[in-house]
């Protein structure tokens, strides 16, 4: 029996079905006033949106064909757009111990699982390469302990010591929600101390079938420039070290390795030319790359000038298209191709872009473009508190009842992508190249088993007058019929869900089909509000259907009932994990000065992100007593069902 380690914990029972044997504990509430936080995740930078195009076209036509369309991508899982969690902040997000899990994190995962059938998460990043697994625990009892790194990399990467509790917590999460994992293997010492072998052995034994793959190396093309290895570290050097690792690590004949994880100085084509795929094919399950569209590690980018690039379908195509050929080569070799780590910009993203509705539009387009380009997964990276791009972020205080979690706009894109691809695992995506690949809009068709199932329609344009319909466009589509010489199969009606916000600048009150996570630091990881799914009648006379796409927004069009139900249907009812006491509460009063000095804001034991300046309030030590835990306990089932 696991004994819960929660300060001020009160077990509660909630009405609901017995989906799992867990007990929900909650930390105490408080009367301290809310502090004014200044970390990046609360930044209030607003930029000037690009002006609407003078030649804006208010209408576009889409011809679909029964049986499929030329150029469709390979079958793609609904869990394509997953999470990449920096190892150093994994406990902060997921939970400090296997018997103490973050219910908010589970709720976010449950939302995606209900729509996609599962969730894809990678734990690793810059901190994986020098990480040490302490089998007997860390001296201070923490799951993750950080020490100042010795390399001179722009990310100021710390050295991380972690314990088996992290891997066990990941395994426990997979018992509650359908999460599959990638885990990073330390590479810099090439197992000279035996540590990498310990990581491989325990990752495989603890995670079992929930382990998708082990990432071998992380951005090896930066090992030289970032002084992690010798300065002229080359592709042949990397190939030799990879061969050494694969020969000496206990993979036990399992072809579950992911590589080469290049990002910046080398191309995946150069690795293929050097023989990487041929030489290591028996070990590889996935061929991966890592890429950010822009670099913010120096902090000197003109964010206003870059804004238009995140409101452009052309830029999204330019981001993915360099990998089309590599994906095809990998698939031909029997491997899957994936984007192991990405987001709006490296080193935490940009204020006013990464934390605005623009990022949700961009990431929706990006996800669909990756599916079209034969990516199996594309994982959005998390840093600590002091970054702009997190899909969601815990509060920077250690009083959960004073502040809840912050849902980043980009997480809404993950919901849209999950519903667009659905649970079948057979979704095949084609870029419709609307209006000759117009930069201000995007359109994708999703086919399943040869049947047109869904449309994703994006409008990037912010009207000059907020709230006006001056830059809405109407997408008219037909399935067969007309001049195609094929039977007209346009349905009598379709259902449409909209991703909406007041502006591309919006940080709060974004809605997906009428539901929202609300405002900053007021979320428990569950959607609230009435579900709003619009039924649009089609034109029987000419076999067409008109879909209005407001500016700015995303419209997800369900072309048949099976597609709708396969993405969650009317009532996406998923097991969620309550974060409030319903039977009794303990109220504590804390002086504001004490709160400011606590482990949430300026505590003496910060364990932060790998992004520069990202060490604030993101440590496992700072969270004991700070969150509501889900405890694996043998006392009944206490999960609640909430309409999402």
């Amino acid at each position: 029996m696991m004994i819960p380690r929660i300060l001020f914990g009160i077990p509660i029972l909630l009405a609901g079905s017995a989906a799992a044997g867990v007990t929900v504990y909650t930390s105490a509430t408080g009367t301290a006033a809310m502090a004014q936080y200044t970390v990046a995740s609360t930044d209030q930078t607003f930029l000037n949106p690009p002006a609407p195009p003078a030649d804006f076209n208010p209408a576009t036509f889409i011809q679909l064909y029964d049986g499929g369309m030329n150029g469709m991508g390979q079958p793609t899982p609904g869990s394509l757009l997953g999470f990449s969690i920096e190892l150093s902040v994994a406990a902060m997000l997921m939970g400090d111990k296997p018997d103490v899990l973050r219910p908010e994190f589970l709720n976010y995962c449950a939302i995606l699982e209900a729509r996609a059938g599962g969730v894809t998460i990678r734990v690793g990043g810059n901190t994986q390469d020098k990480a040490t697994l302490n089998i007997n625990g860390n001296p201070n009892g923490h799951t993750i302990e950080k020490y100042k790194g010795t390399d001179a990399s722009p990310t100021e990467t710390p050295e991380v010591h972690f314990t088996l509790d992290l891997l066990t917590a990941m395994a426990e999460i997979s018992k509650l929600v359908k999460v599959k994992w990638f885990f990073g293997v330390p590479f810099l010492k090439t197992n000279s101390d035996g540590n990498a072998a310990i990581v491989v052995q325990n990752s495989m034994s603890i995670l079992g079938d929930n382990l998708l793959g082990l990432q071998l190396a992380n951005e090896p093309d930066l090992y030289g420039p970032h002084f992690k290895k010798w300065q002229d570290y080359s592709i042949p050097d990397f190939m030799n070290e990879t061969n050494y690792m694969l020969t000496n690590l206990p993979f036990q004949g399992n072809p579950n390795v992911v590589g080469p994880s290049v990002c910046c100085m080398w191309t995946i084509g150069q690795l293929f030319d050097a023989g990487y795929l041929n030489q290591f094919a028996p070990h590889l399950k996935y061929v991966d790359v890592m890429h950010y569209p822009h670099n913010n590690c120096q902090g000197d980018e003109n964010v206003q000038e870059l804004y238009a690039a995140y409101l452009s379908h052309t830029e999204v195509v330019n981001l993915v298209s360099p990998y089309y050929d590599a994906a095809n080569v990998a698939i031909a070799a029997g491997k899957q191709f994936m984007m192991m780590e990405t987001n709006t910009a490296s080193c935490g993203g940009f204020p006013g872009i990464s934390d605005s509705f623009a990022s949700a539009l961009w990431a929706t387009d990006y996800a669909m473009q990756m599916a079209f380009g034969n990516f199996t997964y594309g994982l959005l990276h998390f840093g600590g508190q002091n970054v702009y791009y997190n899909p969601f972020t815990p509060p920077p205080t250690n009083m959960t009842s004073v502040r809840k979690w912050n849902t980043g706009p980009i997480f809404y894109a993950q919901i849209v992508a999950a519903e667009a691809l659905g649970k079948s695992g057979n979704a095949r995506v084609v870029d419709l190249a609307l209006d000759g690949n117009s930069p201000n809009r995007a359109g994708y068709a999703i086919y399943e088993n040869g049947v047109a199932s869904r449309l994703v329609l994006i409008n990037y344009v912010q009207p000059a007058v907020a709230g006006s319909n001056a830059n809405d466009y109407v997408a008219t589509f037909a399935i067969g019929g007309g001049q195609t010489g094929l039977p007209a199969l346009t349905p009598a009606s379709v259902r449409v869900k909209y991703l909406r916000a007041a502006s591309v600048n919006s940080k709060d009150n974004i809605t997906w089909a009428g539901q929202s996570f609300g405002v900053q630091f007021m979320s428990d990881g569950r959607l609230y509000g009435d579900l709003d799914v619009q039924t649009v009648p089609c034109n029987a006379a000419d076999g067409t259907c008109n879909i209005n796409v407001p500016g700015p927004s995303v419209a997800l069009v369900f072309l048949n009932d099976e597609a709708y139900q396969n993405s969650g249907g009317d009532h996406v009812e998923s097991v969620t994990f309550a974060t409030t006491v319903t039977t009794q509460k303990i109220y504590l009063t804390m002086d504001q000065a004490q709160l400011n000095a606590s482990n949430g804001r300026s505590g003496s034991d910060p364990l932060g992100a790998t992004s520069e300046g990202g060490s604030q309030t993101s440590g496992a030590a700072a969270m004991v007593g700070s969150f509501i835990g889900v405890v694996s306990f043998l006392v009944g089932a206490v999960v609640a069902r909430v309409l999402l």
Side-chain angles (χ1 to χ4, degrees):
M1 176 181 295
M2 290 184 173
I3 306 299
R5 298 177 61 252
I6 307 289
L7 300 183
F8 310 113
I10 315 168
I12 63 171
L13 293 178
L14 299 175
S17 62
V22 296
T23 299
V24 178
Y25 281 69
T26 182
S27 60
T29 60
T31 60
M34 290 186 183
Q36 296 300 311
Y37 302 110
T38 57
V39 293
S41 52
T42 63
D43 189 277
Q44 294 300 305
T45 297
F46 294 94
L47 304 175
N48 297 316
D55 59 349
F56 182 82
N57 184 2
T60 190
F61 181 74
I62 299 167
Q63 180 66 65
L64 303 177
Y65 299 87
D66 188 39
M69 297 178 67
N70 292 333
M72 293 190 303
Q74 294 289 312
T76 305
S79 57
L80 172 140
L81 198 59
F83 304 133
S84 165
I85 299 175
E86 190 65 47
L87 173 63
S88 60
V89 301
M92 175 194 76
L93 278 171
M94 300 187 301
D96 189 33
K97 301 291 180 182
D99 55 338
V100 181
L101 303 177
R102 292 266 202 175
E104 296 90 345
F105 178 81
L106 296 175
N107 285 340
Y108 286 114
C109 289
I111 284 174
L112 299 182
E113 178 197 12
R115 292 155 169 84
V119 187
T120 308
I121 302 179
R122 170 260 197 149
V123 176
N126 290 320
T127 47
Q128 80 185 45
D129 267 333
K130 289 166 62 174
T132 299
L133 173 54
N134 289 331
I135 295 292
N136 297 319
N138 284 326
N140 58 11
H142 300 159
T143 296
I144 292 178
E145 182 70 16
K146 288 175 55 177
Y147 302 92
K148 184 174 178 60
T150 56
D151 65 66
S153 67
T155 56
E156 298 182 352
T157 305
E159 295 184 16
V160 170
H161 291 196
F162 69 100
T163 71
L164 290 175
D165 279 341
L166 176 63
L167 293 168
T168 307
M170 292 161 62
E172 290 298 312
I173 288 170
S174 291
K175 294 177 183 178
L176 298 171
V177 286
K178 295 178 182 177
V179 175
K180 300 286 188 180
W181 305 90
F182 291 98
F183 198 78
V185 178
F187 193 86
L188 293 187
K189 294 181 180 179
T190 57
N191 200 41
S192 59
D193 57 357
N195 177 60
I198 295 173
V199 171
V200 169
Q201 180 179 355
N202 284 278
S203 299
M204 292 173 61
S205 63
I206 293 174
L207 295 176
D209 291 341
N210 291 316
L211 179 66
L212 288 173
L214 291 166
Q215 182 193 4
L216 201 59
N218 183 81
E219 299 177 345
D221 42 337
L222 294 181
Y223 286 167
H226 286 179
F227 306 104
K228 294 181 178 182
K229 288 183 179 286
W230 50 98
Q231 195 165 359
D232 59 350
Y233 187 79
S234 65
I235 289 177
D237 293 329
F238 172 61
M239 296 275 288
N240 289 335
E241 291 193 328
T242 298
N243 184 63
Y244 176 85
M245 295 281 274
L246 291 174
T247 301
N248 289 278
L249 295 182
F251 289 107
Q252 302 171 347
N254 293 322
N256 63 354
V257 173
V258 189
S261 302
V262 294
C263 70
C264 312
M265 308 299 291
W266 307 336
T267 68
I268 187 67
Q270 288 175 317
L271 268 295
F272 287 169
D273 290 343
Y276 181 90
L277 185 56
N278 292 333
Q279 182 175 350
F280 304 126
H283 303 278
L284 289 170
K285 184 176 181 181
Y286 300 89
V287 173
D288 76 319
V289 292
M290 305 168 68
H291 187 68
Y292 292 81
H294 293 281
N295 181 355
N296 195 35
C297 292
Q298 306 304 320
D300 57 359
E301 295 280 358
N302 187 320
V303 180
Q304 181 62 64
E305 289 184 0
L306 289 174
Y307 198 12
Y310 292 88
L311 294 166
S312 168
H313 177 60
T314 303
E315 293 294 331
V316 169
V317 172
N318 292 340
L319 181 60
V320 177
S321 58
Y323 300 107
Y324 289 167
D325 289 343
N328 290 333
V329 170
I331 291 168
K335 312 303 175 185
Q336 298 180 61
F337 193 74
M338 66 176 291
M339 181 70 71
M340 181 63 77
E341 177 182 324
T342 190
N343 211 305
T344 47
S346 60
C347 293
F350 294 125
I353 294 177
S354 305
D355 55 355
S356 73
F357 185 57
S359 70
L361 301 174
W362 172 85
T364 301
D365 197 357
Y366 189 14
M368 294 298 101
Q369 188 66 207
M370 283 193 285
F372 171 60
N374 293 326
F375 285 71
T376 300
Y377 302 114
L379 308 182
L380 296 177
H381 198 56
F382 281 86
Q385 293 287 346
N386 209 23
V387 300
Y388 300 97
Y389 57 34
N390 285 347
F392 44 82
T393 308
T397 174
N398 72 345
M399 295 296 291
T400 302
S401 61
V402 175
R403 281 287 175 97
K404 296 183 180 180
W405 288 44
N406 183 55
T407 305
I410 206 167
F411 182 69
Y412 288 88
Q414 294 182 279
I415 301 176
V416 177
E419 291 200 30
L421 298 170
K423 302 176 183 178
S424 72
N426 292 318
R428 302 186 66 182
V429 178
V430 60
D431 186 344
L432 297 170
L434 296 186
D435 288 347
N437 261 331
S438 167
N440 57 59
R441 66 188 57 173
Y444 298 90
I446 296 95
Y447 281 78
E448 292 172 305
N449 301 316
V451 177
S453 299
R454 305 172 193 88
L455 289 172
V456 174
L457 304 170
I458 302 170
N459 188 344
Y460 280 114
V461 179
Q462 173 67 45
V465 178
S468 78
N469 60 0
N471 294 107
D472 296 3
Y473 72 84
V474 174
T476 300
F477 75 88
I479 305 176
Q483 303 300 313
T484 66
L486 299 172
L489 298 176
T490 303
S493 65
V494 296
R495 281 176 279 202
V496 185
K497 290 185 177 183
Y498 286 99
L499 180 65
R500 297 295 310 272
S503 163
V504 293
N505 285 335
S506 295
K507 302 175 188 288
D508 298 323
N509 293 320
I510 297 164
T511 61
W512 170 240
Q515 298 184 310
S516 179
F517 295 101
V519 298
Q520 288 180 313
F521 286 103
M522 289 300 291
S523 177
D524 62 2
R526 295 181 283 190
L527 283 164
Y528 290 92
D530 295 331
L531 189 66
D532 179 14
V533 182
Q534 299 186 20
T535 299
V536 177
C538 297
N539 309 312
D542 62 2
T544 63
C545 208
N546 298 323
I547 307 299
N548 187 55
V549 188
S553 74
V554 177
L556 176 57
V557 185
F558 298 91
L559 303 179
N560 56 63
D561 288 340
E562 183 178 356
Y564 185 67
Q565 298 303 327
N566 197 38
S567 295
D570 266 334
H571 302 290
V572 181
E573 188 183 57
S574 71
V575 175
T576 62
F577 305 86
T579 58
T580 55
V581 172
T582 59
T583 56
Q584 58 179 317
K585 294 183 180 180
I586 293 177
Y587 291 92
L588 297 183
T589 300
M590 178 175 282
D591 180 74
Q592 181 65 53
Q594 289 180 290
L595 177 62
N596 289 350
S598 70
N599 272 349
R601 189 163 184 180
S602 57
S604 60
D605 194 12
L607 305 177
T610 57
S611 302
E612 186 172 0
S615 63
Q616 284 183 286
T617 70
S618 42
M623 55 183 275
V624 178
S626 72
F627 64 87
I628 304 156
V630 174
V631 184
S632 299
F633 202 61
L634 300 180
V635 185
V638 292
V639 294
R641 288 188 174 273
V642 177
L643 294 183
L644 296 179

